[in-house]
Structures are given as C-alpha cells and as structure tokens.
Amino acid sequence: MVLNNKNVLWEKHRMYLPDMRKKAIHRCRDCKFFVAIKGKTETKYGCVVNIKAYGNLEKRIPSVIPIMEIIKRVGLEGLEDCLKFNDPDAQSCGRFDKKCATP
C-alpha cells in the first residue's frame, strides 16, 4: 500500500503532538518573517528569521527589505539562506509568528 501525501483522508487522520500543531497548521506566507527582498531588477520572497536583528525582534520587520540591507547584515551566504526558504505554501518553522493585519 502506497501512502499519498495529497490524499485528503490521510491528511485528516494524521495525529499531531500538542506542541507540533501550531507548526503543522501554519504556512510561511502568514509569518511575519516571510518578506519580500527587493533587488535591483526583481523582488523575491524569503525568510529573515535567521538574521539576528529581525529574528530577535530587535528591529521592526518591514514588508519589503532592500537586498543591500541583508547583505550588510549577513553577507552573501546569509542572503542565500534567506532565499532558500521562499515557498509561501511550505509548512512553517518553529519560529512562526503571525503577521499583523495592516489597515
């Protein structure tokens, strides 16, 4: 028997540990750390939770961050890490924090 992860019955009968439920039901697109990273010619989405100033909430997280600010803070390797997590429909990580609704 082959289990298919897209099977609705499989999804509804899955059991979660209480502390894992939050991670399992939220998606990256709803997280405040998932932001647009604006370059010179294009804009890509990424996760900035691993940047110390944003991850520790020392600095306010804007909805669009210029690419040069990320490069100044964490360098090119850090930028690659931010852009690695760019799927808005991916399951959230343990650092999920709900985006505030702006009026």
Side-chain angles (χ1 to χ4, degrees), residues 9-68:
L9 291 175
W10 170 253
E11 290 291 324
K12 290 186 178 184
H13 289 89
R14 192 181 292 178
M15 290 179 57
Y16 298 109
L17 295 171
D19 56 338
M20 295 298 290
R21 187 178 191 307
K22 180 179 178 184
K23 177 183 172 190
I25 62 173
H26 293 299
R27 300 287 171 218
C28 286
R29 70 176 163 263
D30 300 324
C31 182
K32 74 163 70 175
F33 298 111
F34 190 74
V35 297
I37 299 171
K38 184 170 174 43
K40 196 174 199 179
T41 58
E42 65 180 321
T43 301
K44 292 186 177 184
Y45 285 87
C47 181
V48 295
V49 74
N50 293 326
I51 299 175
K52 185 178 178 184
Y54 297 125
N56 294 340
L57 300 176
E58 295 169 6
K59 188 171 170 136
R60 188 181 70 79
I61 303 168
S63 58
V64 178
I65 300 176
I67 196 168
M68 290 309 293

Side-chain angles (χ1 to χ4, degrees), residues 3 12 18 33 58 82 84 95 102:
L3 296 175
K12 290 186 178 184
F33 298 111
E58 295 169 6
C82 291
K84 191 184 331 177
R95 298 285 309 271
T102 55

